[in-house]
Amino acid sequence: MANIKSEQKDILTNEKNCLRNKSYKSQVRTAMKKVRVDVEKKVERATLDADFQHAISLIDRSVRMGIQKPNTGNRQKGQMWKLYNSVVLPVAEAK
């Protein structure tokens, strides 16, 4: 433990932020997994749209908050768009 009071406060703040960041990253991963499961199970379009928008929103927010780097967020969004388009585009082309 640090000897200086401000350093002790910094350590506590860093631990608190670390837990918050872990929690947020977990939410992002869970949302991405939900989209993957929706695509695999071929759920209805409205559910897929809602889960997809939620995942993209969480990814954008995590980048804006500085929890993830911009390239990581872009890569994750690219993966989500690729999955989403694999379901949406074939349906549009069939019509």
Side-chain angles (χ1 to χ4, degrees):
M1 194 70 179
N3 292 328
I4 299 172
K5 193 167 189 174
S6 64
E7 289 179 2
Q8 292 172 349
K9 291 177 186 176
D10 285 344
I11 290 171
L12 292 176
T13 303
N14 290 340
E15 288 174 356
K16 186 172 61 176
N17 290 343
C18 183
L19 289 175
R20 185 193 68 217
N21 292 348
K22 271 187 193 178
S23 170
Y24 211 85
K25 285 183 198 178
S26 177
Q27 287 179 355
V28 169
R29 285 192 297 266
T30 301
M32 290 174 62
K33 183 177 180 181
K34 197 168 186 182
V35 171
R36 272 189 232 109
V37 168
D38 287 351
V39 169
E40 289 172 5
K41 290 187 176 182
K42 299 179 182 177
V43 298
E44 64 185 49
R45 177 80 183 269
T47 306
L48 176 62
D49 287 346
D51 289 341
F52 173 75
Q53 289 299 325
H54 181 66
I56 295 296
S57 173
L58 284 176
I59 292 169
D60 284 338
R61 199 173 313 146
S62 70
V63 170
R64 196 170 52 246
M65 291 171 66
I67 294 171
Q68 291 183 334
K69 294 185 177 180
N71 281 354
T72 303
N74 289 338
R75 188 182 69 245
Q76 289 174 341
K77 287 196 301 186
Q79 291 169 351
M80 292 295 100
W81 274 108
K82 189 174 180 182
L83 279 172
Y84 183 75
N85 286 338
S86 71
V87 172
V88 174
L89 290 182
V91 172
E93 291 172 358
K95 289 183 179 179

